[in-house]
Amino acid sequence: MAGLDSERPAVHIWGCGEGQLRELGVVCLSPEVYGDALGWERAARTPAVVWHPHQALLVVSGEGGLRQWTPAGVTEPEGAPAAASYRSLAFSPDGQTLWGAPSLRDEGGGWESSDVLDLASGTIGAGPGWDTGVAEHPGGGLVVTLASDQGATHCLFARVGQGTAPAVMRPLRRALILDCDGYETPLFSADGRHMAVRGNAYDHSVEVFEFPSLRRVLATTLGDPSPGYPYPQEWLDQMETWSRHNIAFGPQPGVLWIATPRGVLVEVDVETRKPVEHEVLTGSRCSALAATATGELVVASSEGELLLMSVLSDSPQAGPAGEDVASAAATGFLEATDEVPDDADDLEAYLVLTDGTRTWEADDLSAVTTASTTDPTWLQLQAAINKVRLASE
């Protein structure tokens, strides 16, 4: 298990075998503390972290380049340029390829493309544009990532071949569109039937989508909505209170856990939307929540506490049957869409978009000229742009 240091660009690693926590090491990219750095300045100094999918190997990117941790210690990653510093990192599902964004290649286009690092040969190739991390669907062969913009964020799905090096994400036409930007990496449930997205830059929102249908089954805002920009101090204080990393799927299918500033974990059935509160911390807020690969929950507190918890429930947990369900969900999604052509100059022109309730082909959006104040911001902007364009033709 790995966790970011709150005071400096460093990552702590713990072992959590047999239900016990013990610190194993630290990867420190810089001894200089964050101090008064906030917002983008703080984010620029915060390390990107990714675990290898099959080994006790952690790669960290940030100030000073790339580092990797294994139980043997901290070294520079083999087959990758040590000076490379990416804002987002991900391993391919087979662990043979490291993906980095934005692109650092001289001929690259920044956030418009990414780097594909073949760790065996040390070569660096080009990949599609993405940001904010990559999540693998538990059914295999499918990943999801984000392509963010201030007006809207595309939640992109991609096919990934197994055992081919270097592994490259091949974007698919079916995609989600989310309002605004500032989202965290999507999360899949253990059985692959639900996907949750935490965001955004303006609201502490949580959305859950059924998979493979992409039907939205839960949408809520944590705390009061944003009053708008520029941000008043009382809202900035609220942003600091609610953690950005406060949701996780546990071992039970269809159950999402949400950590609150009151030190309470809320267990939510995403279909019935029935919440159950669990008192976990006293006198401190939850600063982070995550799930381990074996289904335990990990909670960090604002007072520096770290808790490893097993979830006891009469509900069924994901097992061999859950693996079959996940595989069927991934296969169903892949069979219902096509890959975007390799030579596509404009990705958006090929996407079939849904917000979880409505679906748009690219041609549909180019014809929209009206939108209400209750529609997403991106749709209102699209309608206004189309109206001006059509009027000038």
Side-chain angles (χ1 to χ4, degrees):
M1 182 171 60
L4 296 173
D5 194 301
S6 64
E7 297 183 349
R8 57 186 176 142
V11 181
H12 297 263
I13 299 98
W14 296 270
C16 52
E18 300 179 353
Q20 299 294 322
L21 289 171
R22 59 190 183 93
E23 189 163 4
L24 301 179
V26 111
V27 180
C28 184
L29 298 179
S30 171
E32 183 180 350
V33 298
Y34 293 130
D36 296 331
L38 295 173
W40 289 112
E41 183 182 356
R42 172 70 172 263
R45 298 194 61 207
T46 302
V49 181
V50 63
W51 280 108
H52 190 282
H54 312 298
Q55 302 174 22
L57 186 156
L58 183 78
V59 177
V60 180
S61 176
E63 297 179 11
L66 289 175
R67 300 289 183 274
Q68 75 173 22
W69 176 91
T70 68
V74 179
T75 59
E76 296 180 354
E78 295 183 8
S85 180
Y86 295 101
R87 292 306 314 139
S88 295
L89 284 176
F91 270 105
S92 62
D94 60 12
Q96 299 181 37
T97 306
L98 186 65
W99 297 326
S103 173
L104 300 181
R105 292 170 292 110
D106 291 339
E107 69 274 22
W111 287 109
E112 298 301 318
S113 64
S114 61
D115 287 349
V116 177
L117 289 75
D118 185 342
L119 300 179
S121 65
T123 59
I124 302 179
W130 61 275
D131 58 73
T132 322
V134 176
E136 180 187 7
H137 190 277
L142 178 68
V143 298
V144 63
T145 186
L146 302 180
S148 305
D149 201 350
Q150 191 170 12
T153 293
H154 289 127
C155 191
L156 301 174
F157 300 91
R159 187 191 305 270
V160 182
Q162 297 289 334
T164 58
V168 178
M169 286 187 280
R170 301 192 177 280
L172 300 169
R173 294 191 64 206
R174 287 186 70 193
L176 274 171
I177 186 165
L178 308 171
D179 206 16
C180 308
D181 63 348
Y183 292 89
E184 303 300 324
T185 306
L187 301 173
F188 285 111
S189 61
D191 65 355
R193 293 184 58 246
H194 292 95
M195 185 185 76
V197 186
R198 174 72 169 89
N200 52 47
Y202 306 95
D203 292 321
H204 285 290
S205 64
V206 176
E207 295 180 89
V208 180
F209 301 88
E210 189 178 66
F211 204 86
S213 70
L214 298 185
R215 178 178 67 93
R216 188 171 63 192
V217 293
L218 176 66
T220 188
T221 299
L222 309 176
D224 295 329
S226 157
Y229 183 87
Y231 310 141
Q233 185 58 48
E234 58 266 26
W235 188 56
L236 292 175
D237 291 342
Q238 185 192 45
M239 288 181 69
E240 292 300 316
T241 301
W242 279 99
S243 167
R244 298 286 303 178
H245 303 277
N246 70 326
I247 67 171
F249 280 110
Q252 298 95 342
V255 175
L256 183 71
W257 294 80
I258 303 174
T260 75
R262 296 182 291 114
V264 171
L265 290 187
V266 181
E267 178 185 3
V268 182
D269 185 306
V270 299
E271 292 289 352
T272 66
R273 304 181 186 180
K274 179 182 178 181
V276 178
E277 293 191 353
H278 302 269
E279 295 281 350
V280 175
L281 301 172
T282 303
S284 61
R285 69 180 180 90
C286 296
S287 60
L289 172 67
T292 69
T294 51
E296 291 90 357
L297 295 179
V298 182
V299 181
S301 81
S302 58
E303 300 300 317
E305 301 166 290
L306 195 63
L307 287 76
L308 180 66
M309 301 182 299
S310 295
V311 178
L312 303 179
S313 174
D314 295 331
S315 302
Q317 299 190 1
E323 294 175 3
D324 293 339
V325 171
S327 179
T331 300
F333 188 90
L334 290 168
E335 291 179 346
T337 188
D338 301 309
E339 293 182 12
V340 174
D342 291 337
D343 58 353
D345 294 329
D346 183 6
L347 174 66
E348 294 185 29
Y350 290 89
L351 296 181
V352 178
L353 299 172
T354 180
D355 62 358
T357 58
R358 294 171 290 179
T359 300
W360 300 270
E361 297 275 355
D363 291 342
D364 298 334
L365 289 178
S366 64
V368 171
T369 56
T370 59
S372 70
T373 56
T374 59
D375 283 322
T377 305
W378 68 266
L379 188 57
Q380 296 180 50
L381 291 172
Q382 182 72 53
I385 293 171
N386 289 344
K387 189 173 182 179
V388 172
R389 175 178 56 81
L390 293 173
S392 63
E393 291 180 353

